[in-house]
Amino acid sequence: MIEELKRLVEQAAQEINQAARQHDLMQLKSQYLGKKSAVNGFLQRLVELPTAERPGFGKIVNEAKQKLEALLKSRLETLKDAEYTQELQSERLDLSMPGRRFERGVLHPITQTWRDIEDLFLGLGFQVADGPDVEDEYHNFDALNTPQDHPARDLSDTFYIKDDVLLRTHTSPVQVRVMENTKPPIKIICPGRTYRNDNDATHSPCFHQVEALVVDEGISLADLRDMLNHFAQELFGPEIAVRIRPHFFPFTEPSAEMDMVCPKCLGSGCSLCKETGWLELGGAGIVDPNVFEIVGIDGEKYTGYAFGLGIDRIAMLRFGITDMRLLFGNDVRFLRQFR
Ligand code: DAH
């Protein structure tokens, strides 16, 4: 019987060492060490032996079981190690592989221009103010001294949301909001979106303006002119002068329109400036005393200037863009050029 057991153990040991998967090991375990296994069978056959030999043989069977258990355990560990190594191999990252390409975004030409204008004025001690795109008639028109029958209120120009609520047609209502809440001296700009019912190569229903307002004692037209000159020269170069022409706006008196020397032909006349040598920049003026009265600022003590410029127009000039619709089309082929 001892010989028989020895052969069985040898066979089991061989099979265990050849097992290739953990699952096979589990099967071998139950086959050789389970309740109904051959090894256990030897214990049941103890009765066939003479009484004196039984304890000795029982011990041998137990030793055989321990040996097989140890073998199973060590084989299991070997298999686990191998599986782990294989897993590591198959999941290995190849750090030398080229990465996924990252496309760097580009700031929209309007955003670039907007930020440059902000930087310029911040450097001159201005603060940046903000106001709502959805305005009431009071701030957009009434408080800006715009009479009820002024053509700018016409439905064809203004997007009304309801009776007395509209999309602001200019950034000038921010002047009113600032003056309602701040005592002079005031020195602000407000860049923002504005809306008018207009759509062609040089007009977009949504466009951008930057408003400026300076209120203090002794502010005059000369200060306005200096500021505009400085602005144009900083953005377009030292040879770009600004001129102001008499005009009318309800909220300024006197009012002016500003032109700057055409940066393309430097004043000699070209297709961009329609042979005039000048390009229109926006409106400006000395704050009308009526507006001061409406917002509660003492017009005897204080004077102020204000102006409003089109940011889109400035961006077009700087980047040589000829159709305003390109600015709002979101075509990446166009936008990529402003890197
Ligand atoms: N708000 C005017 C417009 O949109 C532009 C303008 C004119 C703004 C005169 C001003 C100003 O601040 O003083 O046409």
Side-chain angles (χ1 to χ4, degrees):
M1 240 183 341
I2 292 185
E3 275 306 306
E4 219 181 304
L5 177 62
K6 221 171 140 189
R7 260 180 278 126
L8 184 73
V9 170
E10 263 167 27
Q11 191 194 336
Q14 202 182 0
E15 284 178 27
I16 288 170
N17 282 333
Q18 280 168 0
R21 295 176 310 162
Q22 294 190 36
H23 177 73
D24 299 340
L25 275 186
M26 301 319 278
Q27 271 187 346
L28 288 172
K29 185 173 180 179
S30 90
Q31 184 183 334
Y32 287 106
L33 295 173
K35 266 202 186 123
K36 293 182 183 155
S37 64
V39 179
N40 259 353
F42 279 102
L43 286 176
Q44 267 134 41
R45 285 168 62 193
L46 275 183
V47 286
E48 296 170 20
L49 292 174
T51 324
E53 289 178 23
R54 286 181 195 169
F57 189 68
K59 202 177 154 207
I60 293 175
V61 173
N62 278 332
E63 280 167 5
K65 281 170 87 173
Q66 279 163 14
K67 182 178 170 189
L68 291 182
E69 260 159 25
L71 273 176
L72 278 166
K73 200 174 155 208
S74 97
R75 183 66 188 164
L76 184 65
E77 258 154 38
T78 315
L79 286 185
K80 274 190 181 159
D81 274 358
E83 260 174 39
Y84 184 58
T85 313
Q86 199 188 5
E87 213 172 287
L88 280 184
Q89 283 294 339
S90 68
E91 290 177 8
R92 207 173 124 240
L93 288 182
D94 181 353
L95 296 180
S96 68
M97 250 166 82
R100 216 174 282 161
R101 261 183 68 118
F102 247 112
E103 279 247 29
R104 257 229 264 152
V106 193
L107 287 181
H108 193 284
I110 293 178
T111 310
Q112 291 186 32
T113 307
W114 174 317
R115 291 196 182 172
D116 289 346
I117 293 173
E118 263 187 11
D119 279 353
L120 198 165
F121 281 106
L122 284 170
L124 294 169
F126 282 73
Q127 288 191 320
V128 178
D130 200 10
D133 287 22
V134 178
E135 250 312 351
D136 48 48
E137 247 187 335
Y138 175 77
H139 287 94
N140 197 79
F141 292 128
D142 300 333
L144 285 166
N145 198 34
T146 308
Q148 285 290 337
D149 56 358
H150 194 278
R153 293 201 185 207
D154 198 328
L155 274 171
S156 63
D157 264 333
T158 308
F159 290 115
Y160 275 88
I161 288 175
K162 54 185 194 188
D163 252 3
D164 148 38
V165 181
L166 43 80
L167 292 177
R168 65 178 175 194
T169 58
H170 49 180
T171 41
S172 301
V174 182
Q175 285 190 35
V176 178
R177 290 185 176 274
V178 169
M179 287 192 286
E180 280 171 344
N181 295 311
T182 326
K183 288 198 163 42
I186 293 171
K187 209 172 165 189
I188 58 109
I189 58 156
C190 168
R193 288 198 159 170
T194 45
Y195 308 83
R196 274 179 221 178
N197 196 357
D198 243 348
N199 202 5
D200 58 40
T202 51
H203 296 90
S204 156
C206 165
F207 57 107
H208 301 81
Q209 286 192 337
V210 58
E211 193 81 11
L213 172 71
V214 174
V215 181
D216 204 347
E217 289 178 41
I219 296 291
S220 74
L221 214 50
D223 298 309
L224 169 64
R225 200 195 161 88
D226 272 357
M227 184 57 74
L228 291 173
N229 267 325
H230 180 77
F231 172 83
Q233 286 170 0
E234 282 290 311
L235 277 192
F236 292 100
E239 53 300 320
I240 304 300
V242 169
R243 71 172 180 191
I244 50 184
R245 287 178 283 113
H247 197 74
F248 173 80
F249 293 105
F251 36 95
T252 41
E253 182 57 39
S255 301
E257 261 193 337
M258 339 166 235
D259 306 319
M260 66 173 194
V261 171
C262 173
K264 194 171 168 199
C265 62
L266 293 183
S268 59
C270 68
S271 59
L272 181 65
C273 58
K274 301 198 181 80
E275 307 302 328
T276 62
W278 295 93
L279 288 170
E280 221 180 281
L281 257 184
I286 294 295
V287 181
D288 193 300
N290 286 344
V291 176
F292 276 154
E293 200 179 319
I294 291 169
V295 296
I297 286 181
D298 181 358
E300 293 293 323
K301 186 170 176 197
Y302 296 107
T303 48
Y305 69 73
F307 58 87
L309 311 168
I311 297 180
D312 318 280
R313 187 85 59 82
I314 296 170
M316 288 170 76
L317 287 174
R318 289 177 88 198
F319 295 109
I321 300 163
T322 46
D323 190 327
M324 189 177 275
R325 288 168 292 204
L326 285 168
L327 288 174
F328 299 97
N330 275 342
D331 184 334
V332 284
R333 291 168 305 178
F334 167 73
L335 295 172
R336 276 206 189 104
Q337 302 173 74
F338 303 98
R339 229 176 259 291

PDB file of all heavy atoms in Angstrom, residues 80-94:
ATOM      1  N   LYS A  80       0.265  32.606 -10.085  1.00  0.00           N
ATOM      2  CA  LYS A  80      -0.188  33.994  -9.845  1.00  0.00           C
ATOM      3  C   LYS A  80       0.876  34.981 -10.301  1.00  0.00           C
ATOM      4  O   LYS A  80       0.573  35.980 -10.952  1.00  0.00           O
ATOM      5  CB  LYS A  80      -0.477  34.199  -8.355  1.00  0.00           C
ATOM      6  CG  LYS A  80      -1.879  33.782  -7.966  1.00  0.00           C
ATOM      7  CD  LYS A  80      -2.162  34.257  -6.547  1.00  0.00           C
ATOM      8  CE  LYS A  80      -3.549  33.850  -6.103  1.00  0.00           C
ATOM      9  NZ  LYS A  80      -3.649  33.862  -4.627  1.00  0.00           N
ATOM     10  N   ASP A  81       2.115  34.703  -9.943  1.00  0.00           N
ATOM     11  CA  ASP A  81       3.216  35.574 -10.362  1.00  0.00           C
ATOM     12  C   ASP A  81       3.244  35.708 -11.876  1.00  0.00           C
ATOM     13  O   ASP A  81       3.371  36.805 -12.429  1.00  0.00           O
ATOM     14  CB  ASP A  81       4.562  34.976  -9.919  1.00  0.00           C
ATOM     15  CG  ASP A  81       4.878  35.406  -8.498  1.00  0.00           C
ATOM     16  OD1 ASP A  81       4.064  36.179  -7.945  1.00  0.00           O
ATOM     17  OD2 ASP A  81       5.901  34.955  -7.957  1.00  0.00           O
ATOM     18  N   ALA A  82       3.126  34.569 -12.536  1.00  0.00           N
ATOM     19  CA  ALA A  82       3.216  34.572 -13.995  1.00  0.00           C
ATOM     20  C   ALA A  82       2.071  35.386 -14.599  1.00  0.00           C
ATOM     21  O   ALA A  82       2.271  36.188 -15.520  1.00  0.00           O
ATOM     22  CB  ALA A  82       3.179  33.141 -14.519  1.00  0.00           C
ATOM     23  N   GLU A  83       0.874  35.195 -14.019  1.00  0.00           N
ATOM     24  CA  GLU A  83      -0.282  35.931 -14.550  1.00  0.00           C
ATOM     25  C   GLU A  83      -0.084  37.436 -14.363  1.00  0.00           C
ATOM     26  O   GLU A  83      -0.394  38.235 -15.240  1.00  0.00           O
ATOM     27  CB  GLU A  83      -1.554  35.505 -13.816  1.00  0.00           C
ATOM     28  CG  GLU A  83      -2.349  34.505 -14.614  1.00  0.00           C
ATOM     29  CD  GLU A  83      -3.534  33.977 -13.829  1.00  0.00           C
ATOM     30  OE1 GLU A  83      -4.168  34.772 -13.103  1.00  0.00           O
ATOM     31  OE2 GLU A  83      -3.797  32.772 -13.928  1.00  0.00           O
ATOM     32  N   TYR A  84       0.431  37.802 -13.197  1.00  0.00           N
ATOM     33  CA  TYR A  84       0.643  39.216 -12.887  1.00  0.00           C
ATOM     34  C   TYR A  84       1.658  39.824 -13.857  1.00  0.00           C
ATOM     35  O   TYR A  84       1.459  40.903 -14.419  1.00  0.00           O
ATOM     36  CB  TYR A  84       1.137  39.322 -11.442  1.00  0.00           C
ATOM     37  CG  TYR A  84       1.302  40.736 -10.964  1.00  0.00           C
ATOM     38  CD1 TYR A  84       0.224  41.628 -10.964  1.00  0.00           C
ATOM     39  CD2 TYR A  84       2.535  41.179 -10.508  1.00  0.00           C
ATOM     40  CE1 TYR A  84       0.378  42.917 -10.514  1.00  0.00           C
ATOM     41  CE2 TYR A  84       2.694  42.479 -10.051  1.00  0.00           C
ATOM     42  CZ  TYR A  84       1.618  43.344 -10.063  1.00  0.00           C
ATOM     43  OH  TYR A  84       1.778  44.627  -9.618  1.00  0.00           O
ATOM     44  N   THR A  85       2.742  39.067 -14.065  1.00  0.00           N
ATOM     45  CA  THR A  85       3.765  39.563 -14.986  1.00  0.00           C
ATOM     46  C   THR A  85       3.181  39.752 -16.384  1.00  0.00           C
ATOM     47  O   THR A  85       3.429  40.756 -17.054  1.00  0.00           O
ATOM     48  CB  THR A  85       4.929  38.558 -15.071  1.00  0.00           C
ATOM     49  OG1 THR A  85       5.275  38.179 -13.756  1.00  0.00           O
ATOM     50  CG2 THR A  85       6.121  39.152 -15.784  1.00  0.00           C
ATOM     51  N   GLN A  86       2.338  38.776 -16.758  1.00  0.00           N
ATOM     52  CA  GLN A  86       1.763  38.860 -18.096  1.00  0.00           C
ATOM     53  C   GLN A  86       0.824  40.084 -18.209  1.00  0.00           C
ATOM     54  O   GLN A  86       0.828  40.800 -19.203  1.00  0.00           O
ATOM     55  CB  GLN A  86       0.984  37.581 -18.377  1.00  0.00           C
ATOM     56  CG  GLN A  86       0.754  37.379 -19.859  1.00  0.00           C
ATOM     57  CD  GLN A  86      -0.195  36.212 -20.094  1.00  0.00           C
ATOM     58  OE1 GLN A  86      -0.740  35.634 -19.151  1.00  0.00           O
ATOM     59  NE2 GLN A  86      -0.371  35.854 -21.337  1.00  0.00           N
ATOM     60  N   GLU A  87       0.062  40.283 -17.132  1.00  0.00           N
ATOM     61  CA  GLU A  87      -0.835  41.433 -17.106  1.00  0.00           C
ATOM     62  C   GLU A  87      -0.044  42.739 -17.250  1.00  0.00           C
ATOM     63  O   GLU A  87      -0.388  43.616 -18.025  1.00  0.00           O
ATOM     64  CB  GLU A  87      -1.560  41.436 -15.759  1.00  0.00           C
ATOM     65  CG  GLU A  87      -2.966  41.970 -15.808  1.00  0.00           C
ATOM     66  CD  GLU A  87      -3.644  41.746 -14.460  1.00  0.00           C
ATOM     67  OE1 GLU A  87      -3.993  40.596 -14.134  1.00  0.00           O
ATOM     68  OE2 GLU A  87      -3.761  42.737 -13.736  1.00  0.00           O
ATOM     69  N   LEU A  88       1.039  42.803 -16.486  1.00  0.00           N
ATOM     70  CA  LEU A  88       1.878  43.999 -16.554  1.00  0.00           C
ATOM     71  C   LEU A  88       2.402  44.214 -17.967  1.00  0.00           C
ATOM     72  O   LEU A  88       2.404  45.325 -18.495  1.00  0.00           O
ATOM     73  CB  LEU A  88       3.072  43.871 -15.603  1.00  0.00           C
ATOM     74  CG  LEU A  88       2.808  44.169 -14.138  1.00  0.00           C
ATOM     75  CD1 LEU A  88       4.114  44.101 -13.366  1.00  0.00           C
ATOM     76  CD2 LEU A  88       2.176  45.543 -13.961  1.00  0.00           C
ATOM     77  N   GLN A  89       2.825  43.123 -18.574  1.00  0.00           N
ATOM     78  CA  GLN A  89       3.359  43.225 -19.939  1.00  0.00           C
ATOM     79  C   GLN A  89       2.298  43.744 -20.891  1.00  0.00           C
ATOM     80  O   GLN A  89       2.541  44.638 -21.691  1.00  0.00           O
ATOM     81  CB  GLN A  89       3.834  41.840 -20.421  1.00  0.00           C
ATOM     82  CG  GLN A  89       5.153  41.393 -19.850  1.00  0.00           C
ATOM     83  CD  GLN A  89       6.294  42.271 -20.324  1.00  0.00           C
ATOM     84  OE1 GLN A  89       6.177  42.952 -21.334  1.00  0.00           O
ATOM     85  NE2 GLN A  89       7.382  42.296 -19.562  1.00  0.00           N
ATOM     86  N   SER A  90       1.094  43.159 -20.774  1.00  0.00           N
ATOM     87  CA  SER A  90       0.082  43.504 -21.770  1.00  0.00           C
ATOM     88  C   SER A  90      -0.447  44.928 -21.546  1.00  0.00           C
ATOM     89  O   SER A  90      -0.949  45.563 -22.461  1.00  0.00           O
ATOM     90  CB  SER A  90      -1.058  42.496 -21.754  1.00  0.00           C
ATOM     91  OG  SER A  90      -1.764  42.623 -20.548  1.00  0.00           O
ATOM     92  N   GLU A  91      -0.358  45.406 -20.301  1.00  0.00           N
ATOM     93  CA  GLU A  91      -0.877  46.764 -20.052  1.00  0.00           C
ATOM     94  C   GLU A  91       0.232  47.808 -20.045  1.00  0.00           C
ATOM     95  O   GLU A  91       0.012  48.943 -19.658  1.00  0.00           O
ATOM     96  CB  GLU A  91      -1.620  46.791 -18.713  1.00  0.00           C
ATOM     97  CG  GLU A  91      -2.918  46.017 -18.771  1.00  0.00           C
ATOM     98  CD  GLU A  91      -3.620  45.979 -17.427  1.00  0.00           C
ATOM     99  OE1 GLU A  91      -3.164  46.683 -16.511  1.00  0.00           O
ATOM    100  OE2 GLU A  91      -4.610  45.250 -17.324  1.00  0.00           O
ATOM    101  N   ARG A  92       1.397  47.427 -20.461  1.00  0.00           N
ATOM    102  CA  ARG A  92       2.515  48.344 -20.388  1.00  0.00           C
ATOM    103  C   ARG A  92       2.269  49.585 -21.254  1.00  0.00           C
ATOM    104  O   ARG A  92       1.761  49.482 -22.364  1.00  0.00           O
ATOM    105  CB  ARG A  92       3.782  47.623 -20.880  1.00  0.00           C
ATOM    106  CG  ARG A  92       5.036  48.186 -20.275  1.00  0.00           C
ATOM    107  CD  ARG A  92       6.212  47.326 -20.668  1.00  0.00           C
ATOM    108  NE  ARG A  92       7.184  48.177 -21.315  1.00  0.00           N
ATOM    109  CZ  ARG A  92       7.609  48.017 -22.561  1.00  0.00           C
ATOM    110  NH1 ARG A  92       7.160  47.028 -23.282  1.00  0.00           N
ATOM    111  NH2 ARG A  92       8.486  48.846 -23.064  1.00  0.00           N
ATOM    112  N   LEU A  93       2.597  50.739 -20.719  1.00  0.00           N
ATOM    113  CA  LEU A  93       2.444  51.969 -21.505  1.00  0.00           C
ATOM    114  C   LEU A  93       3.732  52.232 -22.269  1.00  0.00           C
ATOM    115  O   LEU A  93       4.811  52.193 -21.684  1.00  0.00           O
ATOM    116  CB  LEU A  93       2.194  53.160 -20.582  1.00  0.00           C
ATOM    117  CG  LEU A  93       0.835  53.227 -19.924  1.00  0.00           C
ATOM    118  CD1 LEU A  93       0.745  54.501 -19.096  1.00  0.00           C
ATOM    119  CD2 LEU A  93      -0.267  53.221 -20.968  1.00  0.00           C
ATOM    120  N   ASP A  94       3.559  52.521 -23.536  1.00  0.00           N
ATOM    121  CA  ASP A  94       4.738  52.873 -24.311  1.00  0.00           C
ATOM    122  C   ASP A  94       4.920  54.382 -24.238  1.00  0.00           C
ATOM    123  O   ASP A  94       4.252  55.145 -24.926  1.00  0.00           O
ATOM    124  CB  ASP A  94       4.535  52.431 -25.769  1.00  0.00           C
ATOM    125  CG  ASP A  94       5.763  52.759 -26.607  1.00  0.00           C
ATOM    126  OD1 ASP A  94       6.682  53.431 -26.060  1.00  0.00           O
ATOM    127  OD2 ASP A  94       5.807  52.359 -27.777  1.00  0.00           O
TER     128      ASP A  94
END
